[in-house]
Amino acid sequence: NAGVTQTPKFRILKIGQSMTLQCTQDMNHNYMYWYRQDPGMGLKLIYYSVGAGITDKGEVPNGYNVSRSTTEDFPLRLELAAPSQTSVYFCASTRASEQYFGPGTRLTVT
Amino acid sequence: QQQVKQSPQSLIVQKGGISIINCAYENTAFDYFPWYQQFPGKGPALLIAIRPDVSEKKEGRFTISFNKSAKQFSLHIMDSQPGDSATYFCAARVNNAGNMLTFGGGTRLMVKP
């Protein structure tokens, strides 16, 4: 049982490039989330999903897109990367209360 | 709109001392209040959680105190150890379709040997 896995661990993007952050969970959780964590700050919700085929915006969705074609996978797409998207990105999942977090992806946009 | 306010931002405690972190919330629809612990380079992990129908929950050296009327809750770490040095986040959840958590800004705790 690997829990929540994220790839890549680190990535440097140039302004205007695009990329997809991958997230997979093997706990059969319906709920999945994407957060960003800026230095010295809390976690801000970007997008969430309550099940395969259902996604919705969180607090800071601009510049991002998601899809949820399976229960296990919840990729986050960055289109036209901007320096403001430099952050650490965490994926999480839950069945009800406790959210299980992945190890994070550290993204730098220069 | 910051719905969960956490203080202090940083805290230094001597080994064996008590660490206290406070959170205040605004939304009375919150029904679940977890604390997460995060070590450098890792994702947050659930430490302890409480529901508003109890005023205190204790697990080992970690205790949550909850004051529903004041809309405040706090984490107490007794006999703090250097291994407790981490960032701590309080959070709160509205029991709706998304089960979403709203996080406080975090407290960086350093326990000195």
Side-chain angles (χ1 to χ4, degrees):
Chain A
N1 194 337
V4 180
T5 57
Q6 292 182 239
T7 57
K9 284 187 170 55
F10 304 94
R11 184 72 185 268
I12 298 174
L13 280 182
K14 293 190 184 302
I15 295 171
Q17 287 184 322
S18 301
M19 76 164 294
T20 298
L21 282 67
Q22 301 292 344
C23 174
T24 300
Q25 54 93 6
D26 62 0
M27 297 172 283
N28 201 32
H29 288 166
N30 285 334
Y31 300 94
M32 295 189 73
Y33 310 87
W34 274 105
Y35 296 92
R36 59 177 288 171
Q37 183 178 30
D38 298 321
M41 303 290 285
L43 294 107
K44 301 291 185 185
L45 182 65
I46 304 171
Y47 269 95
Y48 69 99
S49 170
V50 301
I54 306 170
T55 63
D56 207 347
K57 296 177 181 179
E59 185 181 357
V60 290
N62 291 343
Y64 308 94
N65 274 300
V66 295
S67 60
R68 183 100 181 266
S69 57
T70 67
T71 299
E72 295 78 19
D73 300 306
F74 190 40
L76 177 72
R77 178 81 177 163
L78 278 71
E79 305 282 1
L80 299 175
S84 61
Q85 293 178 306
T86 294
S87 190
V88 180
Y89 292 84
F90 288 100
C91 178
S93 72
T94 185
R95 177 171 288 113
S97 297
E98 178 179 357
Q99 288 193 12
Y100 295 82
F101 284 80
T105 294
R106 184 174 296 272
L107 176 68
T108 301
V109 182
T110 62
Chain B
Q1 178 189 4
Q2 185 182 7
Q3 295 190 51
V4 180
K5 295 184 179 181
Q6 183 172 345
S7 63
Q9 285 188 314
S10 62
L11 182 62
I12 300 174
V13 173
Q14 290 295 130
K15 179 182 176 182
I18 302 173
S19 303
I20 302 174
I21 305 170
N22 300 298
C23 283
Y25 63 95
E26 300 164 6
N27 189 344
T28 55
F30 288 143
D31 72 339
Y32 171 73
F33 300 87
W35 284 89
Y36 280 79
Q37 180 187 54
Q38 184 182 30
F39 293 105
K42 304 291 186 182
L46 181 66
L47 183 64
I48 187 172
I50 197 167
R51 296 189 187 274
D53 53 345
V54 297
S55 60
E56 185 176 280
K57 183 173 181 180
K58 183 176 181 179
E59 291 183 0
R61 297 184 293 108
F62 301 91
T63 300
I64 299 179
S65 297
F66 187 82
N67 186 330
K68 189 173 181 178
S69 61
K71 292 187 284 186
Q72 295 175 346
F73 59 111
S74 60
L75 175 69
H76 296 234
I77 305 175
M78 311 300 288
D79 186 25
S80 299
Q81 299 297 312
D84 297 330
S85 297
T87 299
Y88 293 82
F89 294 97
C90 63
R93 183 197 73 179
V94 175
N95 189 13
N96 58 17
N99 269 326
M100 291 174 285
L101 292 176
T102 299
F103 285 86
T107 297
R108 181 172 291 186
L109 171 66
M110 180 185 297
V111 181
K112 289 192 168 184

